[in-house]
């Protein structure tokens, strides 16, 4: 599949090409004609000249039509994501379903009146006036997305911008650009006017960095690693910033947990999407009273997560994004083993594929406990009680999400109050959400500004306040 970047709805021509390889078999998945400095400038100018916003009805209709087109092409998109990311087809079907929800919810939100009103005659200082608010689109937003959900991350930037009426320039990951560009085509086909969207890939200095620095850009919405997010925060200057960064999410399993639920959540949270979710379970903190039985059951359960050809519907764990990422994961496991941890299941690598891996007795100061490892690893750390679990959970620089498995309401409430992160899910994986609920982290995982369709629409607008005699 040979694709090109878009400036204001028009495909660019360029001699510079990016080849995209299938991480499972090394075959060519496609290519992209790359943009440069001039295209970046043209995209900003096009966004700024987008003109009067579409009506709410028009925005909602475009989003709904895009959803219908995506549902008709579900199989095509699922296979495309699999071909460039190595994620198994089971997961990529699920991802298309999620992106379809994003479009559905954004279409609904586009119709909703988001203004407030305040009567002013409510205090001795007041008078007979009324104050109103309305939300206005930004003149130009920039979004930058990672590789791990090649469609859904892109949908979470584009759909809120369309619902808000904000022109947007999106820079997808160069590891998974084909899905993003195909999705842009679909959005134009659904009726979005060209100047409302440009999609660019190219050398960082000519595209991403120029977009981030440009004072005409009013918002940079970035999802990706902590290192790149912090660099963007330094270079963006005076503009709105949304940073959704890495995570190191714990699943806390207490001794009053339903063990079957705990094992199911630990396996799903660690291995789904090849462990490449910002909110994947990256540390399993298990109460010492049940650690033995929990570990035995998790090892048995891990056998269900068949690793293999990502296009095989029976495969539950495809590759990670590339061989370098798999080699890194192997190193992290070996380091933990060197510090006394034991691999009880998996751990073997072939090319970009690393088996779902259960590792027990992991010391608390190992790299895989302190830092984010982006792959199907399930490291188990034994804790004394809930206080100890909370201390370990809060001990890293990250603060994205968390899960707690317990049947005791007091424990649940204590965990919700004391875990320093953006989300606490009781008896669910850290990643549980619906596409419109507020989502996002604190500390190194983000600035605390939430995404999710409703919050993202707010970020893509500014509030104007006006008042009238009444
Ligand atoms: P990444 O390396 O940070 O890349 C993310 C995006 O930033 C890519 O499009 C990348 O472009 C671009 N980029 C690289 N250098 C840049 C620069 N100097 N200025 C502007 N943009 C730049 O992240 P990744 O490896 O793709 O994704 C995995 C990470 O994302 C993990 O840490 C994961 O936890 C995090 N994540 C967070 C969330 C969340 O909601 N909190 C969700 C998903 C993923 P190129 O591809 O061209 O390098």
């Amino acid at each position: 599949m040979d694709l090109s970047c878009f400036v204001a709805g028009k495909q660019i021509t360029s001699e510079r090409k990016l080849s995209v390889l299938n991480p499972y078999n090394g075959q060519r998945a496609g290519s992209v004609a790359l943009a440069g400095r001039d295209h970046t400038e043209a995209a900003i100018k096009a966004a700024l000249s987008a003109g009067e916003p579409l009506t709410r009805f028009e925005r909602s209709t475009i989003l709904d039509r895009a959803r219908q087109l995506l549902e008709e092409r579900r199989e095509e998109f699922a296979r495309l994501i699999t071909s460039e990311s190595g994620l198994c087809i089971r997961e990529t079907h699920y991802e298309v379903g999620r992106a379809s929800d994003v479009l559905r919810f954004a279409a609904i939100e586009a119709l909703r009146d988001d203004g407030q009103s305040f009567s002013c005659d409510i205090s001795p200082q007041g008078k007979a006036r009324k104050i109103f608010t309305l939300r206005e689109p930004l003149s130009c937003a920039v979004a930058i997305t990672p590789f791990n959900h090649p469609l859904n991350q892109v949908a979470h930037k584009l759909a809120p911008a369309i619902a808000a009426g904000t022109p947007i320039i999106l820079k997808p990951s160069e590891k998974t650009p084909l899905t993003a560009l195909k999705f842009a085509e679909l959005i134009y086909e659904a009726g979005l006017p060209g100047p409302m969207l440009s999609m660019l890939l190219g050398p960082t200095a000519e595209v991403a960095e120029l977009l981030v620095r440009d004072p005409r850009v009013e918002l940079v919405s970035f999802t990706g690693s902590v290192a790149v997010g912090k660099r963007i925060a330094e270079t963006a200057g005076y503009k709105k910033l949304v940073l959704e960064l890495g995570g190191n999410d714990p699943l806390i399993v207490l001794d009053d947990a339903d063990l079957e639920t705990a094992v199911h959540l630990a396996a799903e949270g660690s291995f789904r999407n090849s462990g490449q979710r910002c909110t994947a379970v990256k540390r399993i903190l298990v109460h010492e009273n049940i650690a033995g039985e929990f570990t035995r059951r998790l090892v048995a359960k891990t056998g269900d997560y068949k690793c293999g050809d990502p296009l095989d519907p029976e495969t539950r764990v495809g590759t990670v994004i590339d061989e370098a990422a798999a080699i890194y994961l192997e190193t992290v496991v070996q380091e933990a083993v060197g510090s006394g941890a034991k691999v009880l299941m998996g751990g073997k690598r072939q090319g970009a594929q690393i088996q779902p891996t259960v590792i027990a007795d992991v010391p608390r100061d190992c790299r895989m406990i302190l830092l984010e490892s982006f792959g199907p690893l399930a490291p188990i750390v034994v804790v004394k009680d809930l206080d100890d679990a909370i201390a370990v959970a809060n001990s890293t620089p990250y603060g994205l999400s968390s899960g707690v498995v317990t049947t005791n309401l007091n424990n649940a409430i204590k965990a919700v109050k004391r875990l320093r992160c953006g989300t606490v899910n009781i008896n669910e994986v850290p990643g549980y959400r619906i596409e419109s609920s507020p989502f996002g982290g604190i500390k190194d995982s983000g600035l605390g500004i939430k995404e999710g369709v409703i919050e993202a629409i707010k970020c893509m607008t500014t509030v104007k306040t006006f008042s009238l005699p009444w």
Side-chain angles (χ1 to χ4, degrees), residues 420-440:
R420 288 264 301 136
C421 54
T423 302
V424 182
N425 283 317
I426 305 298
N427 294 332
E428 251 307 344
V429 289
Y432 180 78
R433 60 162 160 158
I434 57 168
E435 308 305 327
S436 54
S437 59
F439 167 81

mmCIF file of all heavy atoms in Angstrom, residues 420-440:
data_model
loop_
_atom_site.group_PDB
_atom_site.id
_atom_site.type_symbol
_atom_site.label_atom_id
_atom_site.label_comp_id
_atom_site.label_asym_id
_atom_site.label_seq_id
_atom_site.Cartn_x
_atom_site.Cartn_y
_atom_site.Cartn_z
ATOM 1 N N ARG A 420 -1.574 7.585 43.984
ATOM 2 C CA ARG A 420 -1.270 8.856 43.295
ATOM 3 C C ARG A 420 -1.213 8.616 41.787
ATOM 4 O O ARG A 420 -0.150 8.344 41.215
ATOM 5 C CB ARG A 420 0.081 9.391 43.785
ATOM 6 C CG ARG A 420 0.064 9.924 45.184
ATOM 7 C CD ARG A 420 -0.134 11.436 45.223
ATOM 8 N NE ARG A 420 0.913 12.152 44.511
ATOM 9 C CZ ARG A 420 0.695 13.180 43.688
ATOM 10 N NH1 ARG A 420 -0.521 13.602 43.454
ATOM 11 N NH2 ARG A 420 1.708 13.802 43.103
ATOM 12 N N CYS A 421 -2.390 8.633 41.167
ATOM 13 C CA CYS A 421 -2.444 8.407 39.722
ATOM 14 C C CYS A 421 -3.780 8.929 39.193
ATOM 15 O O CYS A 421 -4.644 9.333 39.980
ATOM 16 C CB CYS A 421 -2.289 6.918 39.401
ATOM 17 S SG CYS A 421 -3.437 5.869 40.265
ATOM 18 N N GLY A 422 -3.929 8.905 37.868
ATOM 19 C CA GLY A 422 -5.107 9.509 37.255
ATOM 20 C C GLY A 422 -6.380 8.695 37.387
ATOM 21 O O GLY A 422 -7.482 9.244 37.371
ATOM 22 N N THR A 423 -6.259 7.366 37.497
ATOM 23 C CA THR A 423 -7.433 6.476 37.539
ATOM 24 C C THR A 423 -7.186 5.326 38.510
ATOM 25 O O THR A 423 -6.073 4.791 38.552
ATOM 26 C CB THR A 423 -7.694 5.855 36.138
ATOM 27 O OG1 THR A 423 -7.879 6.897 35.198
ATOM 28 C CG2 THR A 423 -8.911 4.946 36.129
ATOM 29 N N VAL A 424 -8.215 4.949 39.268
ATOM 30 C CA VAL A 424 -8.151 3.718 40.075
ATOM 31 C C VAL A 424 -9.370 2.883 39.691
ATOM 32 O O VAL A 424 -10.510 3.334 39.837
ATOM 33 C CB VAL A 424 -8.198 4.028 41.586
ATOM 34 C CG1 VAL A 424 -8.085 2.729 42.400
ATOM 35 C CG2 VAL A 424 -7.096 5.010 41.990
ATOM 36 N N ASN A 425 -9.147 1.685 39.192
ATOM 37 C CA ASN A 425 -10.245 0.788 38.828
ATOM 38 C C ASN A 425 -10.299 -0.363 39.827
ATOM 39 O O ASN A 425 -9.331 -1.114 39.974
ATOM 40 C CB ASN A 425 -10.036 0.223 37.421
ATOM 41 C CG ASN A 425 -10.374 1.238 36.343
ATOM 42 O OD1 ASN A 425 -11.375 1.944 36.432
ATOM 43 N ND2 ASN A 425 -9.532 1.322 35.324
ATOM 44 N N ILE A 426 -11.426 -0.488 40.524
ATOM 45 C CA ILE A 426 -11.581 -1.598 41.479
ATOM 46 C C ILE A 426 -12.145 -2.805 40.735
ATOM 47 O O ILE A 426 -13.162 -2.700 40.033
ATOM 48 C CB ILE A 426 -12.536 -1.185 42.630
ATOM 49 C CG1 ILE A 426 -12.056 0.111 43.301
ATOM 50 C CG2 ILE A 426 -12.695 -2.332 43.639
ATOM 51 C CD1 ILE A 426 -10.690 0.056 43.963
ATOM 52 N N ASN A 427 -11.481 -3.937 40.908
ATOM 53 C CA ASN A 427 -11.852 -5.184 40.233
ATOM 54 C C ASN A 427 -11.949 -5.019 38.720
ATOM 55 O O ASN A 427 -12.828 -5.563 38.054
ATOM 56 C CB ASN A 427 -13.157 -5.762 40.810
ATOM 57 C CG ASN A 427 -12.964 -6.196 42.253
ATOM 58 O OD1 ASN A 427 -11.836 -6.561 42.643
ATOM 59 N ND2 ASN A 427 -13.996 -6.136 43.053
ATOM 60 N N GLU A 428 -11.015 -4.250 38.192
ATOM 61 C CA GLU A 428 -10.857 -4.107 36.741
ATOM 62 C C GLU A 428 -9.380 -3.849 36.444
ATOM 63 O O GLU A 428 -8.602 -3.538 37.341
ATOM 64 C CB GLU A 428 -11.703 -2.940 36.203
ATOM 65 C CG GLU A 428 -12.901 -3.352 35.367
ATOM 66 C CD GLU A 428 -12.573 -4.290 34.199
ATOM 67 O OE1 GLU A 428 -11.404 -4.415 33.819
ATOM 68 O OE2 GLU A 428 -13.515 -4.924 33.675
ATOM 69 N N VAL A 429 -9.037 -3.983 35.158
ATOM 70 C CA VAL A 429 -7.652 -3.667 34.773
ATOM 71 C C VAL A 429 -7.448 -2.144 34.828
ATOM 72 O O VAL A 429 -8.419 -1.393 34.699
ATOM 73 C CB VAL A 429 -7.343 -4.181 33.339
ATOM 74 C CG1 VAL A 429 -7.247 -5.686 33.316
ATOM 75 C CG2 VAL A 429 -8.372 -3.682 32.323
ATOM 76 N N PRO A 430 -6.189 -1.696 34.983
ATOM 77 C CA PRO A 430 -5.948 -0.250 35.028
ATOM 78 C C PRO A 430 -6.467 0.461 33.774
ATOM 79 O O PRO A 430 -6.871 1.615 33.831
ATOM 80 C CB PRO A 430 -4.418 -0.138 35.111
ATOM 81 C CG PRO A 430 -3.971 -1.440 35.702
ATOM 82 C CD PRO A 430 -4.947 -2.477 35.239
ATOM 83 N N GLY A 431 -6.459 -0.244 32.652
ATOM 84 C CA GLY A 431 -6.829 0.392 31.380
ATOM 85 C C GLY A 431 -8.325 0.519 31.155
ATOM 86 O O GLY A 431 -8.740 1.078 30.139
ATOM 87 N N TYR A 432 -9.160 0.049 32.091
ATOM 88 C CA TYR A 432 -10.595 0.078 31.825
ATOM 89 C C TYR A 432 -11.117 1.512 31.681
ATOM 90 O O TYR A 432 -10.839 2.380 32.512
ATOM 91 C CB TYR A 432 -11.397 -0.640 32.935
ATOM 92 C CG TYR A 432 -12.858 -0.572 32.589
ATOM 93 C CD1 TYR A 432 -13.374 -1.430 31.626
ATOM 94 C CD2 TYR A 432 -13.690 0.399 33.131
ATOM 95 C CE1 TYR A 432 -14.704 -1.329 31.230
ATOM 96 C CE2 TYR A 432 -15.007 0.505 32.741
ATOM 97 C CZ TYR A 432 -15.505 -0.363 31.787
ATOM 98 O OH TYR A 432 -16.798 -0.251 31.375
ATOM 99 N N ARG A 433 -11.881 1.751 30.631
ATOM 100 C CA ARG A 433 -12.550 3.047 30.449
ATOM 101 C C ARG A 433 -13.537 2.913 29.311
ATOM 102 O O ARG A 433 -13.533 1.920 28.579
ATOM 103 C CB ARG A 433 -11.536 4.139 30.112
ATOM 104 C CG ARG A 433 -10.740 3.888 28.838
ATOM 105 C CD ARG A 433 -10.118 5.193 28.364
ATOM 106 N NE ARG A 433 -9.010 5.008 27.467
ATOM 107 C CZ ARG A 433 -8.601 5.944 26.627
ATOM 108 N NH1 ARG A 433 -9.211 7.106 26.585
ATOM 109 N NH2 ARG A 433 -7.584 5.740 25.833
ATOM 110 N N ILE A 434 -14.399 3.927 29.143
ATOM 111 C CA ILE A 434 -15.106 4.044 27.872
ATOM 112 C C ILE A 434 -14.537 5.271 27.168
ATOM 113 O O ILE A 434 -13.879 6.103 27.805
ATOM 114 C CB ILE A 434 -16.642 4.124 28.040
ATOM 115 C CG1 ILE A 434 -17.045 5.281 28.946
ATOM 116 C CG2 ILE A 434 -17.203 2.814 28.537
ATOM 117 C CD1 ILE A 434 -18.525 5.566 28.904
ATOM 118 N N GLU A 435 -14.790 5.368 25.877
ATOM 119 C CA GLU A 435 -14.032 6.345 25.089
ATOM 120 C C GLU A 435 -14.399 7.795 25.432
ATOM 121 O O GLU A 435 -13.696 8.717 25.055
ATOM 122 C CB GLU A 435 -14.211 6.082 23.588
ATOM 123 C CG GLU A 435 -13.933 4.656 23.135
ATOM 124 C CD GLU A 435 -12.570 4.111 23.512
ATOM 125 O OE1 GLU A 435 -11.609 4.887 23.556
ATOM 126 O OE2 GLU A 435 -12.478 2.893 23.780
ATOM 127 N N SER A 436 -15.510 7.995 26.147
ATOM 128 C CA SER A 436 -15.875 9.379 26.474
ATOM 129 C C SER A 436 -15.549 9.745 27.921
ATOM 130 O O SER A 436 -15.679 10.907 28.296
ATOM 131 C CB SER A 436 -17.364 9.610 26.208
ATOM 132 O OG SER A 436 -18.113 8.659 26.896
ATOM 133 N N SER A 437 -15.123 8.789 28.750
ATOM 134 C CA SER A 437 -14.856 9.124 30.156
ATOM 135 C C SER A 437 -13.484 9.816 30.268
ATOM 136 O O SER A 437 -12.607 9.597 29.438
ATOM 137 C CB SER A 437 -14.920 7.862 31.035
ATOM 138 O OG SER A 437 -13.984 6.913 30.597
ATOM 139 N N PRO A 438 -13.312 10.664 31.316
ATOM 140 C CA PRO A 438 -12.039 11.396 31.437
ATOM 141 C C PRO A 438 -10.884 10.443 31.686
ATOM 142 O O PRO A 438 -10.974 9.530 32.505
ATOM 143 C CB PRO A 438 -12.268 12.286 32.669
ATOM 144 C CG PRO A 438 -13.730 12.320 32.876
ATOM 145 C CD PRO A 438 -14.260 11.025 32.368
ATOM 146 N N PHE A 439 -9.797 10.670 30.961
ATOM 147 C CA PHE A 439 -8.673 9.748 31.015
ATOM 148 C C PHE A 439 -7.371 10.527 30.972
ATOM 149 O O PHE A 439 -7.233 11.448 30.167
ATOM 150 C CB PHE A 439 -8.740 8.802 29.803
ATOM 151 C CG PHE A 439 -7.483 8.024 29.609
ATOM 152 C CD1 PHE A 439 -7.257 6.895 30.371
ATOM 153 C CD2 PHE A 439 -6.505 8.444 28.730
ATOM 154 C CE1 PHE A 439 -6.075 6.192 30.230
ATOM 155 C CE2 PHE A 439 -5.320 7.749 28.586
ATOM 156 C CZ PHE A 439 -5.116 6.612 29.339
ATOM 157 N N GLY A 440 -6.401 10.157 31.831
ATOM 158 C CA GLY A 440 -5.089 10.798 31.750
ATOM 159 C C GLY A 440 -4.381 10.729 33.087
ATOM 160 O O GLY A 440 -5.003 10.502 34.122
#
